[in-house]
C-alpha cells in the first residue's frame, strides 16, 4: 500500500493546544457575539467595495479551527503501518458520509438564520467526525491487541 503524506507526529500535540482557545473563541463569538477589538477593520467609505465595518474574529476562529483540526487528524502515529492507514482512510470515508447526512438533514429541516448556523458548524464536521471515528477505531484496535 502506498504511504500517505502525513505531518510529523509532534504536530498533533500542537493541534490539541491550538484547538482549545479557538473553540472557546468560536463559542463566545457565536453565542455572545464576542469580538476581538484589535481585529476590527474600518475601510474607507469612499471605496467602491465598501461593505461597512468588519471584524475578523470569525475569520480567525475559522482558520484556527481548521488548521488545528488538520494538525490533529493528519499527523502520523508513533508507529504508522498499513493497518493504521486503513483505519485512517476508513474513518475519513465514514466522516464524509456522516457529514453529507447532516447536510441533507439541514437542507430539509433548517430554515433562515438557523440554516446559516448549521452550515457554519458543518464546515468542521468532516474533520471532527473523522478525528472521533479514527481515534475510536484506533482505541478498539489497541485494546484488542493488548
Amino acid at each position: 500500500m502506498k504511504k500517505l503524506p502525513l505531518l510529523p507526529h509532534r504536530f498533533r500535540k500542537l493541534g490539541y493546544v491550538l484547538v482549545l482557545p479557538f473553540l472557546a473563541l468560536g463559542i463566545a463569538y457565536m453565542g455572545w457575539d464576542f469580538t476581538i477589538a484589535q481585529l476590527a477593520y474600518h475601510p474607507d467609505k469612499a471605496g467602491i467595495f465598501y461593505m461597512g465595518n468588519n471584524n475578523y474574529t470569525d475569520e480567525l476562529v475559522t482558520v484556527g479551527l481548521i488548521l488545528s483540526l488538520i494538525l490533529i487528524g493528519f499527523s502520523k502515529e508513533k508507529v504508522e503501518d498499513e493497518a493504521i492507514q486503513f483505519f485512517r482512510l476508513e474513518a475519513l470515508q465514514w466522516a464524509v458520509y456522516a457529514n453529507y447526512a447532516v447536510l441533507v438533514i439541514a437542507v430539509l429541516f433548517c430554515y433562515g438564520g438557523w440554516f446559516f448556523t448549521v452550515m457554519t458548524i458543518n464546515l468542521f464536521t468532516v474533520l471532527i467526525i473523522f478525528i472521533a471515528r479514527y481515534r475510536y477505531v484506533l482505541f478498539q484496535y489497541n485494546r484488542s491487541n493488548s
Side-chain angles (χ1 to χ4, degrees):
M1 183 181 240
K2 187 176 178 181
K3 292 262 184 191
L4 297 173
L6 297 169
L7 300 168
H9 177 69
R10 66 181 181 276
F11 282 30
R12 182 175 329 129
K13 293 174 189 166
L14 176 62
Y16 280 121
V17 168
L18 291 176
V19 78
L20 294 176
F22 285 120
L23 186 60
L25 182 59
I27 291 169
Y29 177 79
M30 289 189 76
W32 297 281
D33 291 328
F34 175 81
T35 58
I36 299 172
Q38 291 81 1
L39 296 177
Y41 173 64
H42 308 286
D44 180 19
K45 291 184 180 180
I48 191 170
F49 297 111
Y50 177 72
M51 295 190 305
N53 293 334
N54 198 4
N55 189 292
Y56 291 110
T57 302
D58 54 341
E59 285 85 357
L60 176 69
V61 167
T62 302
V63 171
L65 276 175
I66 289 171
L67 288 177
S68 60
L69 290 171
I70 285 175
L71 289 175
I72 294 168
F74 296 103
S75 295
K76 289 180 184 178
E77 296 297 320
K78 286 184 180 179
V79 177
E80 189 78 28
D81 60 4
E82 287 187 7
I84 302 296
Q85 284 187 357
F86 174 77
F87 297 149
R88 191 183 305 275
L89 289 172
E90 184 266 339
L92 188 58
Q93 180 182 13
W94 203 83
V96 169
Y97 289 153
N99 180 64
Y100 278 101
V102 169
L103 182 63
V104 167
I105 290 168
V107 166
L108 294 175
F109 297 109
C110 297
Y111 303 99
W114 179 240
F115 179 78
F116 181 73
T117 302
V118 171
M119 288 300 103
T120 302
I121 294 168
N122 198 33
L123 286 170
F124 310 106
T125 55
V126 169
L127 288 169
I128 292 169
I129 294 170
F130 163 67
I131 291 167
R133 174 72 178 167
Y134 175 63
R135 291 281 147 216
Y136 176 74
V137 170
L138 208 57
F139 170 75
Q140 295 245 332
Y141 176 72
N142 289 333
R143 195 172 76 182
S144 69
N145 285 343
S146 298

